[in-house]
Amino acid sequence: MAPGEDAPLPRAPGPDAVRSISRSDDAPDEPGTVVWHRDDLRIADNPALAAAAADADRILPLFVFDPGFYDERGAACDARIEFLHDCLRDLDRQYRDVGGAGLTYGHGDPLDVLARFVDAGWEVVASATASGRYGRRRDERARERLGVRFVAGDGLVRDADRPREDWSDRVESWFAADPFDWDPRSVAVERVETGVDPDRVSDAYGVAPTKTRVPTGGRGPAKDRLRAFAERIAEYPGSISSPVDAREGTSGLSAYLRFGCLSVREVHRHVDERAPDGRGKSMYVSRLFWNRHYTQKLLDWPGWLDRAVNPVYEGFNGDRHDPDLVAVWKRGETGFPMVDASMRCLRETGWLNFRMRALCASFYFHILQQPWRIGADHFYEHLIDGDPAINYTQWQSQCGLVGRPGLRLYDPRKQVRDQDPDGEFVGRWVPELDPLPAAHLDAPEKTPLAVQREVGIEIGEAYPYPVVDYEAAREEFRERYGAVHGAAAARLGDEEIARRASLSGGVGAARSIAADHGEPAEPNGDDADATSQTGLDEFG
């Protein structure tokens, strides 16, 4: 995407607009505090907003459209961008609903925009967040160059030598703590008219979503989903694995949490106080802890996005990179129906339940034996809930790039039999196989020719033969992986590698793995139970 010539966007707000509001008759000597929103698009339980309201008489909430996220450097599909724009429109309404002037929209390099306010005497606060390398560099520059104050309040452990020590207790205390609060009557909420808004940005950058079944962004829709999910949470355990049941059976909150329409703590409190007790409630609460766990990983080491956690696996599968295999995986034309249905569903809707995400990642890395980051980037581009802290840590964990014992290797045929026995999901997303009896959907290439003729399908024509021999590829990968696993486990004994792995048990757990598994060992665990191994379902 690039700005269109017929709808140029200004670098906004301009210096004159900032000066005009900074020197108003109401506050000639105290410009106030800018609340810089990024991925905390709510006014409740917002640490930066609460801090600003406590310290200033005037606040100005600001969101800056960064061109880097819209041009060729951007890594988000148009549907995720439009979801973000929904969230921003909703955030503007939230401020207006409490008597404020609304949200100010900026456009340009965020530091250049913020500098105009700082030069006019404004303070700037923002919520501290875990981010990748670009975001971390941006925030460091904002702190050093402009004095931006970053307020922690997301339950993560910062500024600790060993952040994983007593980590669970700290997060549990955070969940139980009161939310950040502020009184809209005690502070004036200001706004600068900039000539920029989500609609103009969409027009200027040619944002044209094509995905279907994408929810509407914003806090209002998020709260509706949360209330409805809490009422039916008892059905949750039986809904998370099937890609059909998960569409309505999981909370559907992952995209809203990614953009901060609700805080994780708000969701935890609502479920804890209002959902009926039982297995569904306890399972979902544990997922919220896992959400913080994987976000802590990115905070501890931003390299999760582009480097293997364990140096032994750096470049693994790189010598086998086959663009044609990658392309058929992306298109959903591998000859393995559950993988193909999942990949087409991802491209069409921007969402998959966790088990199908894990299946596709496992198939890509373990069976097609392709470099992990290309696959992870593809998921991140298409997921509406694409969150670097979840996507990339989960990809590396699923591929086995940490060095922990056990290999989560999924059998795509077994997943058809277990999770789609009636062929509803495969039939929906791979319609060329819809006439085939469900009993043959796990391995269409083995369908007797007489049956193929009877239903009018010729495997190899209407639908491709498998692009690889599954059993041979699986054994080959296990041999290659097993040959270096002992060395990888041993590297977890290194302080630096143990810290970047950010295991829930901390450095001590990493060193225990090194001590117990630092010798060559065969990986095990075909078709592992993803729920028990990862503790996640829809946050992947």
Side-chain angles (χ1 to χ4, degrees), residues 59-247:
I59 64 172
L60 185 142
L62 170 72
F63 181 87
V64 182
F65 295 101
D66 186 339
F69 289 110
Y70 290 85
D71 62 21
E72 65 276 2
R73 295 169 290 172
C77 64
D78 282 8
R80 185 158 90 238
I81 291 174
E82 189 56 36
F83 185 92
L84 164 65
H85 289 183
D86 286 342
C87 297
L88 293 171
R89 297 182 188 100
D90 187 272
L91 180 60
D92 178 63
R93 286 192 294 270
Q94 291 176 52
Y95 277 110
R96 294 176 186 275
D97 286 345
V98 296
L103 179 66
T104 294
Y105 296 111
H107 175 249
D109 184 314
L111 268 67
D112 291 343
V113 173
L114 294 174
R116 291 174 179 170
F117 287 96
V118 172
D119 291 344
W122 291 76
E123 302 288 337
V124 180
V125 299
S127 296
T129 185
S131 59
R133 292 176 185 266
Y134 174 83
R136 181 170 289 203
R137 288 194 298 267
R138 176 202 60 204
D139 290 354
E140 288 175 352
R141 288 167 47 228
R143 181 185 294 108
E144 295 169 1
R145 174 181 149 193
L146 303 175
V148 173
R149 178 162 59 106
F150 291 93
V151 182
D154 53 10
L156 304 182
V157 178
R158 293 175 170 84
D159 301 322
D161 182 57
R162 295 286 180 89
R164 285 296 183 169
E165 289 186 0
D166 301 320
W167 184 86
S168 295
D169 291 339
R170 295 188 189 189
V171 174
E172 188 169 357
S173 296
W174 174 77
F175 273 127
D178 290 334
F180 296 103
D181 198 10
W182 66 295
D183 184 356
R185 296 169 299 180
S186 68
V187 62
V189 179
E190 305 284 2
R191 178 175 180 271
V192 176
E193 178 56 55
T194 63
V196 174
D197 59 39
D199 292 334
R200 283 204 63 189
V201 171
S202 291
D203 290 342
Y205 285 100
V207 177
T210 59
K211 296 189 188 303
T212 62
R213 303 185 70 176
V214 177
T216 300
R219 183 171 175 82
K223 292 174 70 174
D224 290 342
R225 284 177 177 262
L226 176 57
R227 284 191 291 265
F229 174 68
E231 293 174 356
R232 54 178 169 78
I233 202 167
E235 304 169 10
Y236 178 68
S239 302
I240 60 177
S241 296
S242 163
V244 174
D245 296 340
R247 174 68 67 167

